[in-house]
Amino acid sequence: MYDPLLLTMRNYRQTLVALALAQKSEPAIGADKRIMEQVPNITRTDLDDRQLALLWGELQLMLVECDGGGIWAQIRNAVATSMMALLKRREFTDMQPLFIREIFPVIANSVTLPRDARMQATIEVTTNLRTLSSQDKYSAQRWMLQQIADMQYPRFGTSGWRARMGVDFTWPRATAVAQAIMDFIKNNSLSALPLTIGYDSRINGDKVAALVAKVALANGISVQLASRDTPSPALIFHITETLGVANNAGLINCTPSHNPVKDPARRAYLGTEYHGIRYNMPHGAVAPGSTTDSIGRRAMELLLEDSVVPVAQHRGKLSYFDTLEAYIDQVLKHLEQKIVMPDGTGVNTLALMRKFWGASNAMIVIDEMHSASRGYLRRACDKLDIRYTVIHGEKDPLLGDLMYANPEPPHIAGCQQKVRELCEKYPRIIGLGFDTDSDRFGVVDEKGNSISTNKVLPMLAEYLLTASYTGKPGMIIRNMCTTRMLDRIAEAHKDRVIAPKDLNAVVRHAAASNYKVMLGDDTRMSGFHSIVVPVGFKYIAEAIMGELESAMKAGEHDPAKIQALFHACLDKLMLAGEESNGMTSRGHTPDKDGLWGAMLTLQMLAVRGILLQELWAELTDKYGHLYNVRRDVEAPDVAKTALVNTYLERYEEMTRDMGPEADNLMCGLIPVYCGGVRDELVEIVYRDKQRQESFLTIRASGTEPINRFYIESPDEKLRDAIRQATGEELERLILQEINAAASVDTVVELLQSVELPPEDGEDLPATYTKRITDPAKAKISALAGKNAATVLAAADAKLAESNPAKGGLISN
């Protein structure tokens, strides 16, 4: 039996959230006061642990979803006060100093943030509560804290819901997410069509898929379940081509993509591997934000209401499929093209691939990384009579000796080494690797060097616009963090590129209401002949599939017309990609496909008759150099957001005409543009004395304690200098937090979120080096006084528990 307090808050939540979503009317005057009237009850009412957690969840959902100004802001303020009141209950008396210092400010500050940032704030709070539950001194509150943490909002990121098994990915939460997707399918009149379910190769992936299938069948929805772990692009091919866009209910893909199976700190499997549930629309694109928002919200409601999965009178039917042969046949069909060579002769591209890669001095190294694409590229090579060798090709749900199935350094090192071993015997050689669900691919050149996607994409774009140009213009689409070399290529071929309808329009992410220009003007974010979208392939898909989505919203139901329109949309694409190893191109799929990217790269080299190093040299001779790097740096949450805000605030008062004598220069460069979103994003354009421009983008991850730096410059040394300076700024902010810490536990928690130096031993700033550990040691000693030696040893032990590599660095 639920307590009246919980039922009252549930009633408030249901009424207010419904009004907020309808956006047609405001709540009654005094709604915030009625919530505030419950604050004394929240503090004093006897509640068991379960009802306490449910009360937290009700408040959390109101805080996130009651969007808007005026009375809505007052309601959020009342809800935030109520959440803090819950944590002031007598059960948490001995935790009050910690809450006041670290939890309450996050809740209070969230009131004025946009919806997504409020959601992230609540996730930060529940994550911190879960972390606290593991500390021995809070063992009395452990179960309560864990119950509250289990009410964490199941946030869908750019590509689905991802979480760690047994931590924030639990079977009840996964069931709620699955049921929320079924509710979406039923509410959108798709439940009479088959739902496709697939999964990747990691441990328990098949079990997650089985759970989702069970939920679908209980809802009366028929399921086509992959008979083995299957690459994401092959699953999308199945729904869009085998079944047809108008004849399926979408795809639920049980994968967190490239996220790890093993614990990165301990380099071992701990049973806390990442899992994910992703929903793709019937036309193959990842569900847009409006859809995932509704799914996440519904999942949260199901968790709060303890709703069970419905049992339909007529259960759905279950069937199995394997799409390897059909998918590979389709890829080879798409690759086949008549190419006119420089001498005027026409040649078939598949024949050129057989000749170039089938030569006696040719070899393809395939690093399958124990992924779901095992056997796929092999099958394509067999059909083309191409020689290959495979590493990491056996099924291994724990990924063997790999930490990540992620086809970029350092994880692709095995492929690099294999290429180096074979390149003397087979000088015409290339390495190709794939992540766990194989929607990403990595490339290793003929010398064993890993080639970033920021190089592969421009080479492919130039190839598709010249040697492989079919006479049809197409869109070049990149996300905001991908190389601007694509912009140069698009502009050079503007007669062959479908540019944005309004070249003067500011790109999407910079046109958002919460994006602020601090320095310069927004014309810096317009004028691209390429189409620039926010991070997340779903935004690329929206740019590709816009015409189809509009037609279906307008009521188009004819399957033949829908399928034809689907292909027409894809036919207007030239190339789309993101720097994080994802791409697609004309006629293929609206989502990223690592296997297609690999095959298209093989075709490009065969048609051009040269290898990657020579092809890149030709491209840079034509378009100039742009040296880029991405650096993902682990950092405490407070420092990662402070870094973004530091740059936004620093350049806010500056003018475009600032001279080189200014104090706020970066590596001798003058900032000419700065814009972004507080706590989330900053992007800066710098200019040197020759008026050449360099670019810095920093993104604070919404789901991990990570800052992502994206740097691009016409000068390699300057690129590295910007990377160094940015790391030093982050390091300064980390040290600032360490110096301000009021307890040893706080210092230790900060150190737990600082990453170790790179494996190559490079001494980069903002890593766990003496520049950070020595001040941390001094701070702990000052806090501990005469007990410093004992406290330092205990701190070291705690750090070693979370990451053995950090043990012994504080007390020594």
Side-chain angles (χ1 to χ4, degrees):
M1 186 71 179
Y2 289 140
D3 187 275
L5 171 62
L6 177 59
L7 295 175
T8 297
M9 282 299 180
R10 177 163 298 172
N11 180 62
Y12 287 166
R13 183 264 300 173
Q14 290 172 336
T15 301
L16 292 171
V17 170
L19 282 172
L21 294 176
Q23 295 182 337
K24 293 180 179 178
S25 60
E26 288 193 344
I29 295 174
D32 57 322
K33 294 179 181 178
R34 284 195 289 275
I35 295 174
M36 288 294 293
E37 288 170 357
Q38 299 299 324
V39 168
N41 296 331
I42 292 172
T43 305
R44 295 193 299 260
T45 301
D46 286 334
L47 295 171
D48 61 32
D49 294 345
R50 177 61 180 163
Q51 296 201 60
L52 192 66
L54 290 171
L55 178 58
W56 174 273
E58 298 286 355
L59 295 167
Q60 174 186 244
L61 189 53
M62 278 193 283
L63 181 65
V64 171
E65 300 297 349
C66 289
D67 206 16
I71 183 64
W72 291 113
Q74 297 172 32
I75 288 171
R76 292 197 300 274
N77 188 64
V79 171
T81 302
S82 301
M83 295 174 77
M84 289 185 279
L86 186 150
L87 294 178
K88 290 177 182 176
R89 290 169 61 91
R90 63 180 181 275
E91 294 98 317
F92 304 113
T93 298
D94 58 339
M95 303 183 75
Q96 290 308 298
L98 182 64
F99 287 169
I100 291 170
R101 187 174 64 251
E102 299 184 10
I103 301 294
F104 293 168
V106 177
I107 297 173
N109 293 337
S110 70
V111 171
T112 58
L113 298 176
R115 177 188 178 275
D116 284 352
R118 291 199 304 274
M119 186 192 302
Q120 183 53 38
T122 66
I123 290 173
E124 180 183 336
V125 168
T126 49
T127 299
N128 288 343
L129 294 177
R130 180 179 287 113
T131 300
L132 292 173
S133 73
S134 65
Q135 296 185 15
D136 290 340
K137 62 181 175 180
Y138 301 130
S139 58
Q141 295 92 354
R142 178 167 296 157
W143 181 244
M144 287 181 287
L145 292 172
Q146 289 177 350
Q147 290 277 294
I148 292 173
D150 282 344
M151 286 294 114
Q152 185 178 95
Y153 206 112
R155 177 177 183 169
F156 278 67
T158 57
S159 192
W161 174 56
R162 299 178 184 179
R164 293 166 298 157
M165 178 65 76
V167 182
D168 36 7
F169 190 104
T170 62
W171 296 116
R173 287 168 62 78
T175 301
V177 169
Q179 181 58 47
I181 298 174
M182 304 311 151
D183 288 344
F184 173 83
I185 288 170
K186 291 187 288 187
N187 292 338
N188 286 271
S189 304
L190 296 171
S191 57
L193 301 172
L195 172 67
T196 298
I197 299 175
Y199 54 97
D200 70 17
S201 58
R202 74 190 54 232
I203 188 170
N204 292 322
D206 55 344
K207 293 182 176 62
V208 176
L211 169 71
V212 174
K214 182 178 179 180
V215 173
L217 294 170
N219 279 269
I221 298 172
S222 293
V223 169
Q224 293 202 2
L225 179 63
S227 60
R228 57 156 280 189
D229 49 293
T230 303
S232 293
L235 295 169
I236 293 169
F237 163 78
H238 180 74
I239 66 171
T240 59
E241 300 293 349
T242 302
L243 297 178
V245 172
N247 300 315
N248 78 89
L251 161 68
I252 296 181
N253 196 0
C254 301
T255 176
S257 190
H258 62 293
N259 287 72
V261 170
K262 297 169 185 170
D263 180 78
R266 293 181 172 272
R267 306 186 69 83
Y269 175 67
L270 302 181
T272 56
E273 74 277 8
Y274 274 86
H275 284 283
I277 295 177
R278 179 169 68 199
Y279 179 63
N280 287 65
M281 306 297 283
H283 58 271
V286 174
S290 58
T291 296
T292 55
D293 285 349
S294 67
I295 290 171
R297 181 169 51 248
R298 179 58 182 151
M300 192 68 230
E301 291 172 348
L302 292 167
L303 287 170
L304 291 175
E305 296 167 11
D306 285 330
S307 298
V308 296
V309 175
V311 179
Q313 287 184 333
H314 301 288
R315 290 175 60 84
K317 295 181 180 179
L318 176 65
S319 59
Y320 296 90
F321 71 95
D322 185 346
T323 191
L324 188 154
E325 288 294 335
Y327 170 81
I328 292 300
D329 287 345
Q330 180 82 341
V331 166
L332 294 178
K333 180 181 177 182
H334 282 178
L335 282 171
E336 191 168 14
Q337 181 185 345
K338 189 74 171 292
I339 293 289
V340 178
M341 302 302 288
D343 62 4
T345 59
V347 183
N348 182 283
T349 50
L350 293 185
L352 285 173
M353 291 176 72
R354 287 189 179 95
K355 181 179 179 181
F356 188 83
W357 292 111
S360 60
N361 66 341
M363 174 66 73
I364 297 172
V365 177
I366 305 173
D367 190 350
E368 292 182 335
M369 292 190 158
H370 310 292
S371 69
S373 64
R374 299 182 319 281
Y376 274 72
L377 188 54
R378 292 187 235 177
R379 186 64 181 132
C381 290
D382 287 340
K383 291 193 173 193
L384 293 175
D385 296 320
I386 291 174
R387 185 183 295 104
Y388 61 88
T389 187
V390 177
I391 63 173
H392 301 125
E394 65 278 5
K395 181 176 176 62
D396 189 331
L398 298 181
L399 303 184
D401 62 339
L402 295 173
M403 286 300 301
Y404 288 69
N406 188 14
E408 60 184 36
H411 316 293
I412 203 169
C415 185
Q416 293 179 262
Q417 180 60 35
K418 194 67 174 179
V419 168
R420 289 167 186 151
E421 290 173 3
L422 297 174
C423 65
E424 187 173 343
K425 182 177 181 181
Y426 300 101
R428 188 178 294 177
I429 192 169
I430 190 173
L432 299 164
F434 306 94
D435 73 330
T436 317
D437 69 319
S438 304
D439 61 351
R440 303 176 184 228
F441 75 113
V443 179
V444 174
D445 74 12
E446 61 271 24
K447 300 298 182 182
N449 303 306
S450 176
I451 302 300
S452 76
T453 313
N454 273 338
K455 287 186 176 180
V456 177
L457 288 174
M459 287 190 280
L460 287 173
E462 179 74 0
Y463 166 68
L464 292 171
L465 287 163
T466 55
S468 183
Y469 185 60
T470 63
K472 293 181 180 179
M475 297 179 288
I476 299 289
I477 309 174
R478 68 167 177 89
N479 76 21
M480 57 179 289
C481 297
T482 301
T483 178
R484 289 161 181 79
M485 182 76 82
L486 288 173
D487 303 337
R488 295 180 180 182
I489 293 170
E491 186 169 7
H493 298 285
K494 54 188 175 185
D495 58 325
R496 298 183 173 189
V497 167
I498 299 175
K501 292 181 180 179
D502 182 1
L503 282 174
N504 294 318
V506 175
V507 296
R508 177 172 173 175
H509 72 274
S513 60
N514 59 342
Y515 185 101
K516 305 299 180 186
V517 177
M518 300 300 188
L519 173 67
D521 58 70
D522 59 7
T523 59
R524 287 274 175 184
M525 295 294 113
S526 66
F528 304 106
H529 284 81
S530 57
I531 296 171
V532 182
V533 300
V535 173
F537 219 87
K538 64 183 179 182
Y539 299 111
I540 291 176
E542 288 177 11
I544 299 170
M545 291 284 117
E547 191 176 346
L548 172 64
E549 292 176 349
S550 296
M552 295 181 71
K553 285 180 181 178
E556 181 59 71
H557 297 297
D558 183 273
K561 291 181 179 179
I562 289 173
Q563 194 71 17
L565 192 52
F566 169 73
H567 288 137
C569 287
L570 286 174
D571 200 43
K572 292 180 180 178
L573 173 67
M574 185 67 68
L575 177 76
E578 57 185 13
E579 60 80 32
S580 54
N581 308 100
M583 63 81 64
T584 188
S585 66
R586 168 171 281 152
H588 191 58
T589 173
D591 203 1
K592 55 183 178 283
D593 185 343
L595 291 161
W596 173 253
M599 291 298 293
L600 193 61
T601 300
L602 293 175
Q603 184 200 68
M604 171 181 67
L605 298 176
V607 170
R608 292 299 314 278
I610 55 178
L611 296 177
L612 286 163
Q613 289 195 354
E614 184 178 351
L615 190 58
W616 180 247
E618 285 188 4
L619 196 73
T620 53
D621 284 346
K622 184 174 182 180
Y623 295 105
H625 281 283
L626 275 178
Y627 298 95
N628 46 65
V629 67
R630 185 191 81 217
R631 186 182 175 208
D632 296 349
V633 190
E634 294 177 29
D637 283 325
V638 64
K640 78 173 188 182
T641 56
L643 180 66
V644 169
N645 299 337
T646 293
Y647 284 108
L648 289 173
E649 293 162 4
R650 178 174 297 168
Y651 297 132
E652 184 172 10
E653 302 299 327
M654 295 173 64
T655 65
R656 244 183 311 182
D657 298 325
M658 169 168 283
E661 70 280 4
D663 294 333
N664 288 319
L665 298 184
M666 164 77 81
C667 306
L669 300 172
I670 301 173
V672 294
Y673 176 85
C674 176
V677 179
R678 188 170 180 82
D679 295 334
E680 297 180 20
L681 163 73
V682 61
E683 47 189 355
I684 309 168
V685 181
Y686 295 101
R687 182 182 293 160
D688 64 15
K689 294 179 181 178
Q690 288 73 42
R691 301 188 68 80
Q692 294 187 107
E693 293 184 342
S694 298
F695 308 91
L696 168 65
T697 300
I698 305 173
R699 293 175 58 235
S701 172
T703 55
E704 303 171 271
I706 287 177
N707 279 107
R708 292 190 167 91
F709 304 164
Y710 306 86
I711 303 162
E712 192 161 50
S713 175
D715 182 274
E716 189 172 14
K717 291 183 178 178
L718 189 54
R719 176 205 64 185
D720 293 342
I722 295 172
R723 180 181 67 165
Q724 181 77 11
T726 311
E728 288 173 357
E729 189 69 51
L730 177 59
E731 189 169 82
R732 181 185 68 80
L733 293 168
I734 293 172
L735 290 172
Q736 181 176 294
E737 292 302 317
I738 288 173
N739 290 329
S743 70
V744 172
D745 285 342
T746 300
V747 177
V748 172
E749 288 166 12
L750 289 167
L751 293 175
Q752 286 174 328
S753 297
V754 178
E755 71 176 7
L756 292 165
E759 292 183 3
D760 61 10
E762 191 174 1
D763 185 18
L764 291 174
T767 55
Y768 199 83
T769 65
K770 279 187 165 295
R771 291 191 304 274
I772 283 179
T773 57
D774 282 356
K777 179 179 179 179
K779 182 65 178 181
I780 292 174
S781 298
L783 289 168
K786 61 183 180 181
N787 297 320
T790 302
V791 174
L792 283 168
D796 251 341
K798 188 170 183 179
L799 287 164
E801 184 180 345
S802 62
N803 189 330
K806 290 184 176 179
L809 298 181
I810 295 295
S811 58
N812 289 341

